[in-house]
Amino acid sequence: MTNFTDLQTKRRSIYALGKDVELSNQELIDTIQEAVLNTPTAFNSQTSRVVILLDEESDVFWNEIAYSELEKVTPAEAFEGTKERLKGFAQAKGTILFYEDQDVVKGLQEQFPLYATWLALAEKNIGMNVQHYNPLVDAQLAEKYDIPANWKLRAQAPFGQIVAPAGDKDVQTEGRFKVFGDK
């Protein structure tokens, strides 16, 4: 397994990109889909939606769609630099468009507060889960630990040794991905 901290360090914004990658289009699609499908989401809500643009479809996005929209709002004297950035992005093999299903998000917002994920602890083989017993416990916690009034409790996350593995994850794939340009 690759070390999470090393990957965090390696993951940087790279601006000089090219089309010559060692993976096939299908391997790229599989890699992106696997990453999205295994990204934790609040209450296993799986709100992420992804559009993968490969080759010419990616070029169209940067050279036509992004170009035309940015040209409308960028002052003429500054557009030359914008055109160069877009031209550079169009040199990439593909583009991932990340979306979030707002119908699912709205439903969650009505039911539960937001909470953070636990990837860093999982990398250390420490298990965790997220609970929501607030606002029931808020007053006692505020008194016991001198919690400022402007802090709002969102979740509780017990963590520790993994005594039993997590059950199988019910993964929704239908309607989460669209791919264009894969010949």
Side-chain angles (χ1 to χ4, degrees):
M1 177 185 270
T2 306
N3 185 295
F4 177 72
T5 305
D6 290 343
L7 285 175
Q8 281 184 307
T9 303
K10 184 177 181 179
R11 191 227 44 92
R12 303 287 306 180
S13 291
I14 308 295
Y15 293 99
L17 301 168
K19 296 184 184 302
D20 188 21
V21 298
E22 295 180 8
L23 299 177
S24 69
N25 281 356
Q26 190 57 55
E27 289 171 317
L28 289 166
I29 292 165
D30 291 346
T31 299
I32 294 163
Q33 288 180 341
E34 189 70 22
V36 171
L37 293 175
N38 287 299
T39 299
T41 58
F43 304 100
N44 197 26
S45 59
Q46 302 175 49
T47 58
S48 57
R49 302 294 183 261
V50 170
V51 174
I52 303 168
L53 304 177
L54 297 167
D55 301 312
E56 295 85 15
E57 294 294 334
S58 181
D59 297 349
V60 167
F61 174 73
W62 293 111
N63 291 325
E64 295 177 25
I65 297 170
Y67 184 100
S68 66
E69 293 303 316
L70 285 166
E71 187 177 33
K72 294 175 188 175
V73 298
T74 306
E77 62 276 6
F79 192 62
E80 197 58 42
T82 300
K83 283 187 343 189
E84 287 304 309
R85 280 191 298 285
L86 295 175
K87 184 178 175 183
F89 298 153
Q91 298 303 308
K93 169 71 174 168
T95 299
I96 305 167
L97 306 177
F98 293 97
Y99 291 90
E100 188 172 55
D101 186 328
Q102 293 302 295
D103 289 343
V104 177
V105 170
K106 185 175 185 218
L108 286 174
Q109 288 172 336
E110 292 170 358
Q111 296 176 41
F112 307 102
L114 299 174
Y115 68 95
T117 61
W118 49 88
L119 190 59
L121 287 174
E123 192 262 339
K124 306 282 187 195
N125 292 317
I126 296 172
M128 190 174 101
N129 65 72
V130 176
Q131 301 299 315
H132 301 277
Y133 290 102
N134 42 300
L136 298 174
V137 298
D138 291 12
Q140 283 192 54
L141 288 172
E143 183 179 335
K144 180 171 179 62
Y145 298 111
D146 194 25
I147 304 297
N150 62 312
W151 288 21
K152 182 171 178 126
L153 183 63
R154 294 293 192 184
Q156 305 83 54
F159 63 91
Q161 171 195 14
I162 299 171
V163 177
D168 290 338
K169 182 177 180 178
D170 181 23
V171 177
Q172 173 194 340
T173 57
E174 184 71 30
R176 290 187 72 190
F177 298 97
K178 290 182 180 242
V179 178
F180 300 92
D182 182 31
K183 296 175 186 158

